[in-house]
Amino acid sequence: MRVSTSQFPGFRTMTLEARLRCLAEALGREPGQLAEALASGGLDEGTANAMVENAIGVLGLPFGVALNFQVNGREVLVPMATEEPSVIAAASHAAKRTRAGGGFEASVDRSIMAAQIEVHDVTDPEGALGRLREAQGELLAAANQAVPGLVERGGGAQEVECRSLGDGFVVVHVLVDCCDAMGANLLNTIAETLGARVAELAGGSLGLRILSNYCDRRCVRVRAQVAFEALGCNRAPGDVAARGIASASRFAELDVYRAVTHNKGVMNGVDAVALATGNDTRAIEAAAHAYAARSGVYRPLATWRLAEGGLVGELTMPLSVGTVGGALRAHRGARLALDLVGARSAGELAMVMGAAGLATNLAALRALATEGIQRGHMSLHHRATSGKVGA
Ligand SMILES: CC(C)(COP(=O)([O-])OP(=O)([O-])OC[C@H]1O[C@@H](n2cnc3c(N)ncnc32)[C@H](O)[C@@H]1OP(=O)([O-])[O-])[C@@H](O)C(=O)NCCC(=O)NCCSC(=O)C[C@@](C)(O)CC(=O)[O-]
Ligand SMILES: NC(=O)C1=CN([C@@H]2O[C@H](COP(=O)(O)OP(=O)(O)OC[C@H]3O[C@@H](n4cnc5c(N)ncnc54)[C@H](OP(=O)(O)O)[C@@H]3O)[C@@H](O)[C@H]2O)C=CC1
């Protein structure tokens, strides 16, 4: 569903029921439909029992919506599931500050993932690589026969790459466009289909056949320009806040101890959207941190630089996310989250996730570089931990 605005004045002080009414109106739905989708955390026990093993119930998490987002000119509601107070406020807060500069600009690569087939005890690695390269056409055809639906949608196996790792190991990557799926099961099907033939061609023993979660060809890039005036508050003028944010960003580039915390601030937004939309947060985290360390030094995923009259923030990170497959079909709450975000493709969802990550990073840096984190975060944290909650 697309909305005409992501700004709802007074949303933060409304009751839960009033917020649902407000969203339902924006989406052209009945409030009851939203409440029904979210009943018992969006997941009933029967479904939970079928989704995982040894289920004993359903564990709840707060589900909220970050406001004020514009991504590539589109007004976007950003669904977030998180146990951490102040993350949704932080995302909404930063998104509000980006609006005067046009919000977030984002782009995304095709949904390319690599299926890995590993062969060991290869006695002639050079000969193996030659035979595997020659057989590229045959391997691609066999891979595509295993996923006809994907091919019909315009995706499927695109390319075969092979490398010798030394010590008798040869690895083949089948690069697959998995369209709107995260892709794990699709890629594993391809890896298992090709395994025996690849080992035969390589002249070695077949080893692992599984996707690689290091999806460095499936990156999202997000940029935001924030004017000094949009960064100021009564505790710091905008240019002072901007200089503080740029300096905090530089600190993260120079120090791994800081870079990890900086990236935790990025993942506050990314993971919350991933959890809400039923995506695999372990896959996202594993790829993000490998990418952050790709040069051999662990670096920030997002950086902020002073520019003419303001700040420019840029985030690049790999994101393998789906709007189909995985837990999505079964999970009512995740389907509602996808409906709220209005993403028509996995790429569009990845761009919103990246924008959420850049927003939570900006909010945290702005707070840290001006008043410190404790006022904003701890006031909301105390609200959550005071005896009143759940009474
Ligand atoms: C907490 C704020 C946003 C307050 O910030 P503020 O300046 O008091 O906010 P405001 O009252 O001026 O409100 C501005 C907008 O923020 C949103 N907003 C503001 N408050 C709320 C609220 N209660 N409920 C819902 N939305 C809220 C809302 O959109 C609001 O617009 P309005 O509704 O007025 O039109 C700010 O201090 C902030 O962004 N702090 C950073 C919080 C943060 O990063 N939390 C994560 C936990 S710390 C961490 O995990 C990461 C870290 C920090 O270690 C990463 C790192 O080191 O880089
Ligand atoms: N290492 C890892 O990360 C691993 C992760 N997993 C898990 O695998 C799951 C994700 O696997 P994934 O392959 O994405 O999901 P699925 O196994 O559910 O596959 C997605 C299916 O959706 C169908 N589909 C419908 N529309 C589209 C579309 N537009 N684009 C693409 N596919 C479409 C396709 O079937 P059809 O063509 O027949 O219609 C496809 O097979 C996650 O739950 C993940 O946690 C599993 C193993 C390892």
Side-chain angles (χ1 to χ4, degrees):
M1 275 278 174
R2 302 282 173 139
V3 287
S4 58
T5 180
S6 59
Q7 297 203 284
F8 303 116
F11 197 76
R12 60 198 271 190
T13 55
M14 291 177 191
T15 61
L16 260 71
E17 290 73 22
R19 288 188 193 129
L20 281 181
R21 277 199 301 278
C22 175
L23 290 179
E25 195 179 324
L27 293 163
R29 295 283 171 82
E30 287 302 318
Q33 281 179 289
L34 271 61
E36 206 176 301
L38 289 175
S40 60
L43 188 64
D44 57 79
E45 284 186 355
T47 310
N49 195 28
M51 277 171 81
V52 302
E53 312 69 40
N54 297 352
I56 57 169
V58 172
L59 185 71
L61 265 186
F63 178 41
V65 178
L67 302 182
N68 307 323
F69 275 78
Q70 283 177 315
V71 181
N72 292 337
R74 177 168 83 85
E75 297 284 328
V76 184
L77 299 173
V78 180
M80 288 184 150
T82 177
E83 88 299 344
E84 189 169 11
S86 85
V87 166
I88 299 175
S92 306
H93 176 111
K96 189 172 177 182
R97 290 178 186 266
T98 65
R99 288 181 74 88
F104 300 90
E105 270 172 40
S107 63
V108 67
D109 294 333
R110 277 175 81 187
S111 305
I112 300 287
M113 303 286 287
Q116 284 200 302
I117 302 158
E118 171 252 318
V119 185
H120 48 265
D121 300 331
V122 178
T123 48
D124 173 17
E126 282 314 306
L129 295 184
R131 288 189 296 279
L132 286 163
R133 285 184 187 124
E134 256 174 51
Q136 154 146 256
E138 172 201 334
L139 294 174
L140 287 178
N144 282 329
Q145 261 175 25
V147 288
L150 201 57
V151 176
E152 255 169 55
R153 288 182 195 96
Q158 310 289 312
E159 211 181 315
V160 174
E161 288 179 348
C162 34
R163 286 176 295 143
S164 164
L165 304 180
D167 208 15
F169 279 83
V170 164
V171 65
V172 170
H173 284 186
V174 183
L175 303 181
V176 180
D177 182 340
C178 52
C179 297
D180 297 315
M182 178 266 188
N185 291 322
L186 286 164
L187 277 271
N188 296 345
T189 300
I190 289 177
E192 293 194 359
T193 302
L194 300 188
R197 178 65 179 142
V198 165
E200 186 187 358
L201 287 163
S205 310
L206 180 58
L208 307 189
R209 290 143 291 153
I210 184 92
L211 88 154
S212 168
N213 283 111
Y214 189 37
C215 51
D216 57 345
R217 296 168 207 241
R218 195 177 182 179
C219 282
V220 64
R221 288 165 205 80
V222 185
R223 187 176 187 278
Q225 193 151 357
V226 197
F228 289 143
E229 308 83 72
L231 285 167
C233 62
N234 54 11
R235 290 168 293 271
D239 59 328
V240 173
R243 269 196 292 279
I245 293 166
S247 164
S249 173
R250 188 76 192 121
F251 175 22
E253 289 178 82
L254 297 171
D255 181 39
V256 64
Y257 284 89
R258 176 57 209 156
V260 172
T261 322
H262 180 103
N263 285 346
K264 189 275 185 185
V266 170
M267 300 315 286
N268 274 345
V270 172
D271 282 350
V273 182
L275 260 185
T277 55
N279 274 287
D280 183 334
T281 50
R282 290 83 57 207
I284 291 172
E285 285 280 345
H289 301 297
Y291 190 79
R294 68 194 179 286
S295 67
V297 178
Y298 188 92
R299 313 261 302 171
L301 293 164
T303 54
W304 293 89
R305 297 264 184 273
L306 287 170
E308 189 65 36
L311 266 183
V312 173
E314 285 179 330
L315 168 138
T316 303
M317 66 181 290
L319 268 177
S320 57
V321 297
T323 51
V324 296
L328 280 169
R329 205 169 315 161
H331 200 296
R332 266 187 280 120
R335 286 202 306 273
L336 174 67
L338 275 177
D339 215 8
L340 287 173
V341 83
R344 292 184 178 146
S345 65
E348 226 183 306
L349 177 62
M351 291 192 282
V352 173
M353 265 183 209
L358 191 59
T360 48
N361 175 237
L362 171 62
L365 295 191
R366 198 203 57 86
L368 288 165
T370 55
E371 57 176 337
I373 200 73
Q374 294 299 70
R375 183 198 65 86
H377 174 62
M378 289 312 281
S379 59
L380 296 171
H381 178 74
H382 287 319
R383 196 182 64 144
T385 53
S386 74
K388 287 178 204 143
V389 173

